[in-house]
Amino acid sequence: MDKSPEAFRTISEVAEELELPQHVLRFWETRFTQVKPMKRGGGRRYYRPEDIELLKGIRHLLYDHGYTIKGVQKLLKSNGNRFVTAVGSGDAELIEALAPQPEARKEDQHSIFDDDQVVGRPKKASGKSFFRRAKEGEGDVDPAFGLARSDDAMLKEVLSDLLECKRLLDQVR
């Protein structure tokens, strides 16, 4: 027997519907204060239909648009729950209606989405490969790896960022 659309859902039902593990939903509760399932005896979570719609929007922004958690938090803060829910449902008219008007936007903000909080997509297209092997006779080459020195510096910066991410993850565990 199927539940009515207004019925509360358990975490396992929501996880199955969103195709996410249950621990991800529990983690999102700690990062998105707007998601507040009702908790009953024994800590069982029951999600309201509006919680599920918000979670769909969050999932869509994180997984389909490549947003970071911080980016989605900023969208929620600046545009509200209804905006993120509309993004998740694909309601273009509601997204436009809820988006801040151009004169209300900050001068440096170009779109209703914060592109600085998007990961996984290149900022600009390039016809060449990201790193290139330097050819013999080229001046500024790291002899150990055969990479141009500018690429070596970029790799060191990326390594530094990754080590910082690891440090933060280790703190959470």
Side-chain angles (χ1 to χ4, degrees), residues 52-113:
I52 298 168
E53 292 303 313
L54 179 60
L55 287 167
K56 285 179 183 178
I58 291 170
R59 183 191 188 288
H60 186 67
L61 288 167
L62 290 172
Y63 293 172
D64 299 334
H65 285 283
Y67 270 75
T68 62
I69 287 178
K70 190 173 185 177
V72 176
Q73 288 170 336
K74 285 173 86 174
L75 276 177
L76 281 165
K77 186 177 181 180
S78 63
N79 299 334
N81 292 8
R82 288 185 56 211
F83 177 80
V84 173
T85 300
V87 169
S89 67
D91 189 344
E93 289 178 11
L94 186 55
I95 292 171
E96 282 300 315
L98 294 173
Q101 299 305 315
E103 58 271 5
R105 292 186 195 153
K106 293 178 184 170
E107 293 171 16
D108 60 335
Q109 189 177 3
H110 293 56
S111 76
I112 56 176
F113 297 103

